[in-house]
DNA sequence: TTCGAAATAT
DNA sequence: CATATTTCGA
Protein backbone atom coordinates (compact mmCIF):
# COMPACT_ATOMS: atom_id res chain seq x y z
CA UNK A 1 0.00 0.00 0.00
CA UNK A 2 1.67 3.14 -1.14
CA UNK A 3 0.95 6.71 -1.93
CA UNK A 4 2.93 6.80 -5.10
CA UNK A 5 2.29 4.47 -7.95
CA UNK A 6 5.33 4.99 -10.11
CA UNK A 7 6.97 1.98 -11.61
CA UNK A 8 9.99 2.05 -9.38
CA UNK A 9 7.96 1.98 -6.24
CA UNK A 10 5.83 -0.85 -7.50
CA UNK A 11 8.85 -2.86 -8.53
CA UNK A 12 10.44 -2.37 -5.19
CA UNK A 13 7.38 -3.63 -3.35
CA UNK A 14 6.87 -6.58 -5.62
CA UNK A 15 10.48 -7.53 -5.22
CA UNK A 16 9.88 -7.62 -1.52
CA UNK A 17 7.11 -10.10 -1.92
CA UNK A 18 4.01 -8.01 -2.50
CA UNK A 19 1.36 -9.89 -4.37
CA UNK A 20 -0.77 -6.90 -5.10
CA UNK A 21 -0.51 -3.19 -4.97
CA UNK A 22 -2.96 -0.68 -3.63
CA UNK A 23 -2.77 3.03 -4.06
CA UNK A 24 -3.87 5.23 -1.22
CA UNK A 25 -6.47 6.10 -0.37
CA UNK A 26 -7.93 2.66 -0.33
CA UNK A 27 -11.57 1.83 -0.46
CA UNK A 28 -12.69 -0.55 2.19
CA UNK A 29 -14.11 -2.99 -0.32
CA UNK A 30 -10.74 -3.31 -1.96
CA UNK A 31 -9.16 -4.18 1.31
CA UNK A 32 -11.86 -6.57 2.19
CA UNK A 33 -11.43 -8.46 -1.02
CA UNK A 34 -7.70 -8.50 -0.81
CA UNK A 35 -7.98 -9.84 2.65
CA UNK A 36 -10.10 -12.70 1.57
CA UNK A 37 -7.85 -13.56 -1.30
CA UNK A 38 -4.80 -13.66 0.87
CA UNK A 39 -6.66 -15.64 3.45
CA UNK A 40 -7.72 -18.19 0.90
CA UNK A 41 -4.24 -18.41 -0.52
CA UNK A 42 -2.83 -19.10 2.88
CA UNK A 43 -5.47 -21.66 3.45
CA UNK A 44 -4.49 -23.33 0.22
CA UNK A 45 -0.82 -23.21 0.95
CA UNK A 46 -1.31 -24.57 4.39
CA UNK A 47 -3.34 -27.45 3.08
CA UNK A 48 -0.73 -28.26 0.52
CA UNK A 49 1.90 -28.25 3.16
CA UNK A 50 -0.17 -30.58 5.25
CA UNK A 51 -0.39 -33.01 2.41
CA UNK A 52 3.34 -33.28 2.23
CA UNK A 53 3.53 -33.49 5.96
CA UNK A 54 5.44 -30.30 5.93
CA UNK A 55 3.55 -28.37 8.52
CA UNK A 56 4.80 -25.34 10.35
CA UNK A 57 8.12 -24.51 8.89
CA UNK A 58 10.26 -22.64 11.36
CA UNK A 59 10.53 -19.57 9.20
CA UNK A 60 6.89 -19.52 8.24
CA UNK A 61 5.53 -16.01 8.46
CA UNK A 62 2.71 -15.44 10.91
CA UNK A 63 -0.68 -15.51 9.27
CA UNK A 64 -2.27 -12.22 8.49
CA UNK A 65 -5.29 -13.26 10.42
CA UNK A 66 -3.19 -14.00 13.42
CA UNK A 67 -1.56 -10.63 13.17
CA UNK A 68 -4.87 -8.87 12.94
CA UNK A 69 -6.16 -10.81 15.88
CA UNK A 70 -3.06 -10.02 17.84
CA UNK A 71 -3.87 -6.38 17.54
CA UNK A 72 -5.49 -5.32 20.79
CA UNK A 73 -9.16 -4.70 20.23
CA UNK A 74 -8.79 -1.25 21.67
CA UNK A 75 -6.17 -0.38 19.13
CA UNK A 76 -7.82 -1.87 16.13
CA UNK A 77 -8.76 0.53 13.44
CA UNK A 78 -12.28 0.41 12.23
CA UNK A 79 -10.84 -0.93 9.03
CA UNK A 80 -9.20 -3.82 10.78
CA UNK A 81 -12.39 -4.45 12.65
CA UNK A 82 -14.30 -4.50 9.43
CA UNK A 83 -11.86 -6.92 7.95
CA UNK A 84 -11.96 -9.20 10.92
CA UNK A 85 -15.70 -9.29 11.22
CA UNK A 86 -16.54 -11.37 8.17
CA UNK A 87 -14.03 -13.95 9.24
CA UNK A 88 -15.18 -14.42 12.78
CA UNK A 89 -17.47 -17.25 11.86
CA UNK A 90 -15.33 -18.54 9.10
CA UNK A 91 -13.97 -21.99 9.54
CA UNK A 92 -10.23 -21.84 9.37
CA UNK A 93 -8.01 -24.68 8.35
CA UNK A 94 -6.58 -25.13 11.78
CA UNK A 95 -10.00 -25.86 13.13
CA UNK A 96 -10.60 -28.57 10.61
CA UNK A 97 -9.08 -31.94 9.85
CA UNK A 98 -8.28 -33.31 6.44
CA UNK A 99 -11.83 -34.46 6.08
CA UNK A 100 -13.20 -31.01 6.52
CA UNK A 101 -14.45 -31.90 9.94
CA UNK A 102 -14.37 -29.34 12.65
CA UNK A 103 -12.00 -30.28 15.42
CA UNK A 104 -11.96 -27.12 17.45
CA UNK A 105 -14.68 -24.58 18.07
CA UNK A 106 -12.60 -21.97 19.80
CA UNK A 107 -13.32 -19.39 17.17
CA UNK A 108 -16.80 -20.55 16.39
CA UNK A 109 -18.09 -18.98 19.54
CA UNK A 110 -18.36 -15.27 19.80
CA UNK A 111 -20.71 -14.59 22.64
CA UNK A 112 -22.24 -17.93 22.12
CA UNK A 113 -21.42 -20.91 20.00
CA UNK A 114 -22.50 -20.93 16.39
CA UNK A 115 -23.49 -24.32 15.17
CA UNK A 116 -22.30 -24.21 11.63
CA UNK A 117 -23.68 -26.57 9.07
CA UNK A 118 -20.60 -28.67 9.25
CA UNK A 119 -20.55 -28.84 13.01
CA UNK A 120 -24.18 -29.78 12.96
CA UNK A 121 -23.54 -32.54 10.47
CA UNK A 122 -20.96 -33.99 12.76
CA UNK A 123 -23.45 -33.82 15.54
CA UNK A 124 -26.06 -35.58 13.46
CA UNK A 125 -23.56 -38.18 12.38
CA UNK A 126 -22.70 -38.90 15.97
CA UNK A 127 -26.33 -39.12 16.99
CA UNK A 128 -27.09 -41.43 14.12
CA UNK A 129 -24.14 -43.53 14.97
CA UNK A 130 -25.30 -44.01 18.52
CA UNK A 131 -28.93 -44.45 17.74
CA UNK A 132 -31.54 -42.06 18.98
CA UNK A 133 -32.14 -43.92 22.19
CA UNK A 134 -28.54 -44.02 23.26
CA UNK A 135 -27.60 -40.60 22.03
CA UNK A 136 -26.96 -38.69 25.22
CA UNK A 137 -24.78 -35.61 25.41
CA UNK A 138 -21.74 -37.21 26.91
CA UNK A 139 -21.59 -39.99 24.36
CA UNK A 140 -22.20 -37.62 21.50
CA UNK A 141 -19.45 -35.39 22.74
CA UNK A 142 -17.14 -38.33 23.07
CA UNK A 143 -17.64 -39.34 19.49
CA UNK A 144 -17.48 -35.91 18.00
CA UNK A 145 -14.10 -35.17 19.49
CA UNK A 146 -14.37 -31.44 19.01
CA UNK A 147 -12.07 -29.44 21.18
CA UNK A 148 -13.70 -26.94 23.49
CA UNK A 149 -17.15 -28.19 22.77
CA UNK A 150 -18.90 -28.75 26.07
CA UNK A 151 -21.37 -31.36 27.13
CA UNK A 152 -23.83 -28.63 27.97
CA UNK A 153 -23.65 -27.25 24.49
CA UNK A 154 -24.27 -30.64 23.01
CA UNK A 155 -27.13 -31.16 25.43
CA UNK A 156 -28.68 -27.91 24.39
CA UNK A 157 -28.35 -28.71 20.75
CA UNK A 158 -29.74 -32.15 21.33
CA UNK A 159 -32.73 -30.73 23.10
CA UNK A 160 -33.66 -28.60 20.13
CA UNK A 161 -32.92 -31.41 17.78
CA UNK A 162 -35.25 -33.74 19.59
CA UNK A 163 -37.92 -31.11 19.74
CA UNK A 164 -37.70 -30.75 16.01
CA UNK A 165 -37.79 -34.46 15.55
CA UNK A 166 -41.06 -34.64 17.39
CA UNK A 167 -42.51 -32.01 15.15
CA UNK A 168 -41.52 -34.09 12.18
CA UNK A 169 -43.20 -37.21 13.43
CA UNK A 170 -46.40 -35.29 13.71
CA UNK A 171 -46.30 -33.58 10.38
CA UNK A 172 -44.83 -36.09 7.99
CA UNK A 173 -46.64 -39.35 8.72
CA UNK A 174 -49.97 -37.55 8.57
CA UNK A 175 -50.08 -38.09 4.87
CA UNK A 176 -53.33 -39.98 5.09
CA UNK A 177 -56.17 -37.92 6.40
CA UNK A 178 -55.75 -34.26 6.03
CA UNK A 179 -59.38 -33.43 6.01
CA UNK A 180 -58.45 -29.93 6.87
CA UNK A 181 -58.14 -27.66 3.94
CA UNK A 182 -54.58 -26.53 3.89
CA UNK A 183 -55.10 -23.23 5.56
CA UNK A 184 -54.34 -23.73 9.19
CA UNK A 185 -53.89 -20.37 10.67
CA UNK A 186 -50.44 -19.36 11.59
CA UNK A 187 -51.41 -18.87 15.17
CA UNK A 188 -52.05 -22.54 15.60
CA UNK A 189 -49.35 -24.07 17.69
CA UNK A 190 -49.69 -27.45 16.11
CA UNK A 191 -48.55 -26.38 12.73
CA UNK A 192 -48.33 -28.55 9.70
CA UNK A 193 -44.71 -27.78 9.14
CA UNK A 194 -41.99 -27.30 11.63
CA UNK A 195 -40.90 -23.76 11.41
CA UNK A 196 -38.01 -23.17 9.09
CA UNK A 197 -34.81 -23.50 10.98
CA UNK A 198 -31.25 -23.41 9.97
CA UNK A 199 -30.55 -27.08 10.23
CA UNK A 200 -33.18 -28.99 12.04
CA UNK A 201 -35.63 -29.00 9.23
CA UNK A 202 -32.99 -30.06 6.79
CA UNK A 203 -31.73 -33.25 8.24
CA UNK A 204 -34.65 -35.24 9.38
CA UNK A 205 -32.14 -37.98 9.75
CA UNK A 206 -32.43 -39.70 13.01
CA UNK A 207 -32.82 -43.01 11.33
CA UNK A 208 -29.55 -44.78 10.93
CA UNK A 209 -30.36 -45.65 7.38
CA UNK A 210 -31.01 -42.23 6.12
CA UNK A 211 -29.77 -41.74 2.64
CA UNK A 212 -31.51 -38.49 2.13
CA UNK A 213 -29.78 -36.67 -0.61
CA UNK A 214 -27.22 -34.01 0.01
CA UNK A 215 -29.10 -31.06 1.25
CA UNK A 216 -28.01 -27.69 0.19
CA UNK A 217 -28.12 -24.84 2.54
CA UNK A 218 -30.48 -22.33 1.21
CA UNK A 219 -31.21 -21.74 4.82
CA UNK A 220 -31.79 -18.08 4.59
CA UNK A 221 -31.65 -16.25 1.36
CA UNK A 222 -29.03 -14.30 3.12
CA UNK A 223 -25.84 -12.96 1.77
CA UNK A 224 -23.00 -15.27 1.00
CA UNK A 225 -20.42 -12.56 0.77
CA UNK A 226 -17.90 -14.98 -0.60
CA UNK A 227 -18.17 -16.18 -4.11
CA UNK A 228 -17.68 -19.81 -3.46
CA UNK A 229 -19.78 -22.17 -1.46
CA UNK A 230 -18.45 -24.14 1.41
CA UNK A 231 -15.80 -26.48 0.31
CA UNK A 232 -17.05 -29.06 2.71
CA UNK A 233 -19.01 -30.36 -0.18
CA UNK A 234 -17.86 -33.79 0.71
CA UNK A 235 -21.41 -34.76 0.06
CA UNK A 236 -22.64 -38.06 1.14
CA UNK A 237 -23.47 -39.65 4.38
CA UNK A 238 -21.14 -39.36 7.26
CA UNK A 239 -20.82 -41.87 9.99
CA UNK A 240 -18.22 -42.99 12.46
CA UNK A 241 -16.42 -46.26 12.51
CA UNK A 242 -14.20 -47.72 15.16
CA UNK A 243 -10.54 -47.36 14.38
CA UNK A 244 -8.88 -50.26 16.10
CA UNK A 245 -5.47 -48.77 15.57
CA UNK A 246 -6.14 -45.43 17.14
CA UNK A 247 -8.61 -46.94 19.53
CA UNK A 248 -11.17 -44.29 18.80
CA UNK A 249 -13.99 -43.38 16.48
CA UNK A 250 -13.02 -41.92 13.19
CA UNK A 251 -15.05 -40.38 10.39
CA UNK A 252 -16.37 -42.55 7.66
CA UNK A 253 -17.98 -41.23 4.51
CA UNK A 254 -20.45 -42.85 2.23
CA UNK A 255 -20.41 -41.15 -1.08
CA UNK A 256 -22.84 -41.78 -3.86
C1' DT B 1 -22.61 -37.24 38.02
C1' DT B 2 -25.37 -36.77 34.10
C1' DC B 3 -29.81 -35.93 31.95
C1' DG B 4 -33.20 -33.13 30.22
C1' DA B 5 -37.06 -29.74 30.84
C1' DA B 6 -37.80 -25.18 31.47
C1' DA B 7 -36.32 -20.59 32.36
C1' DT B 8 -33.24 -17.11 30.68
C1' DA B 9 -30.26 -14.77 27.76
C1' DT B 10 -28.41 -13.08 23.26
C1' DC C 1 -37.50 -14.49 16.80
C1' DA C 2 -34.44 -18.41 16.55
C1' DT C 3 -31.32 -20.56 19.09
C1' DA C 4 -27.73 -20.77 22.68
C1' DT C 5 -26.80 -20.85 27.84
C1' DT C 6 -28.11 -21.56 32.63
C1' DT C 7 -30.63 -23.48 36.17
C1' DC C 8 -32.33 -27.04 38.77
C1' DG C 9 -34.87 -31.26 40.11
C1' DA C 10 -34.88 -36.21 39.14
Amino acid sequence: MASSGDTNTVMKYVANGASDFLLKPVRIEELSNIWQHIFRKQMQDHKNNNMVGNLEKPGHPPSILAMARATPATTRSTATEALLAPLENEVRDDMVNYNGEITDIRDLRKSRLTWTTQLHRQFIAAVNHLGEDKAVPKKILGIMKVKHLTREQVASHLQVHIKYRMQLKKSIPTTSKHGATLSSTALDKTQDHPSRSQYFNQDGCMEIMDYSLPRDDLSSGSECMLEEQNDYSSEGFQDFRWDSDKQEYGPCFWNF
Side-chain angles (χ1 to χ4, degrees):
Chain A
M1 203 182 303
S3 44
S4 95
D6 62 274
T7 319
N8 273 348
T9 315
V10 177
M11 293 302 284
K12 193 170 73 185
Y13 278 82
V14 170
N16 280 324
S19 50
D20 202 340
F21 198 85
L22 295 186
L23 205 57
K24 291 190 209 171
V26 189
R27 288 178 306 124
I28 187 68
E29 308 88 69
E30 287 183 285
L31 266 185
S32 189
N33 289 336
I34 286 289
W35 181 273
Q36 289 173 10
H37 287 151
I38 295 176
F39 176 70
R40 289 222 135 70
K41 184 185 188 317
Q42 280 193 172
M43 188 102 146
Q44 196 54 48
D45 292 344
H46 196 165
K47 268 182 185 155
N48 291 340
N49 285 340
N50 278 342
M51 293 304 180
V52 195
N54 194 13
L55 178 60
E56 307 284 83
K57 294 177 193 161
H60 198 70
S63 83
I64 281 194
L65 186 57
M67 292 175 67
R69 284 222 162 86
T71 308
T74 49
T75 322
R76 282 181 196 159
S77 65
T78 48
T80 306
E81 209 65 62
L83 293 177
L84 226 36
L87 289 171
E88 279 311 332
N89 272 338
E90 189 102 355
V91 177
R92 291 183 285 101
D93 56 345
D94 58 314
M95 314 170 48
V96 169
N97 66 13
Y98 60 91
N99 269 323
E101 288 190 311
I102 293 177
T103 57
D104 191 327
I105 59 161
R106 234 174 314 195
D107 295 338
L108 238 40
R109 19 155 233 206
K110 289 166 64 87
S111 56
R112 35 184 233 177
L113 169 66
T114 295
W115 284 83
T116 63
T117 303
Q118 174 58 25
L119 190 58
H120 176 66
R121 282 185 181 167
Q122 291 170 217
F123 166 85
I124 290 299
V127 170
N128 284 340
H129 178 81
L130 289 166
E132 70 179 73
D133 46 335
K134 296 175 184 173
V136 294
K138 199 178 181 183
K139 289 181 182 172
I140 298 174
L141 189 62
I143 288 188
M144 288 179 74
K145 295 183 313 189
V146 176
K147 287 173 188 168
H148 302 100
L149 183 62
T150 69
R151 189 177 55 78
E152 286 78 7
Q153 290 171 314
V154 171
S156 172
H157 202 60
L158 182 62
Q159 185 180 6
V160 184
H161 181 263
I162 290 176
K163 185 186 299 175
Y164 167 71
R165 205 177 72 208
M166 293 191 314
Q167 288 184 317
L168 262 194
K169 284 196 175 181
K170 286 181 183 174
S171 55
I172 297 286
T174 317
T175 48
S176 51
K177 56 183 305 184
H178 240 342
T181 47
L182 18 138
S183 60
S184 58
T185 28
L187 289 178
D188 195 344
K189 292 214 168 186
T190 48
Q191 298 178 353
D192 291 332
H193 323 283
S195 54
R196 295 297 163 195
S197 109
Q198 188 172 0
Y199 0 80
F200 296 114
N201 66 347
Q202 304 230 59
D203 62 45
C205 49
M206 278 306 273
E207 315 302 328
I208 296 189
M209 288 287 104
D210 174 70
Y211 293 110
S212 58
L213 295 172
R215 47 278 185 192
D216 299 327
D217 301 313
L218 29 116
S219 42
S220 56
S222 63
E223 71 307 327
C224 254
M225 58 188 171
L226 300 180
E227 56 281 24
E228 48 193 81
Q229 270 286 24
N230 295 353
D231 50 20
Y232 322 119
S233 44
S234 51
E235 295 298 2
F237 184 74
Q238 181 184 345
D239 194 8
F240 291 94
R241 59 167 172 62
W242 181 259
D243 186 326
S244 50
D245 293 330
K246 297 182 183 174
Q247 286 292 300
E248 66 180 21
Y249 283 102
C252 172
F253 296 97
W254 304 80
N255 298 304
F256 43 86

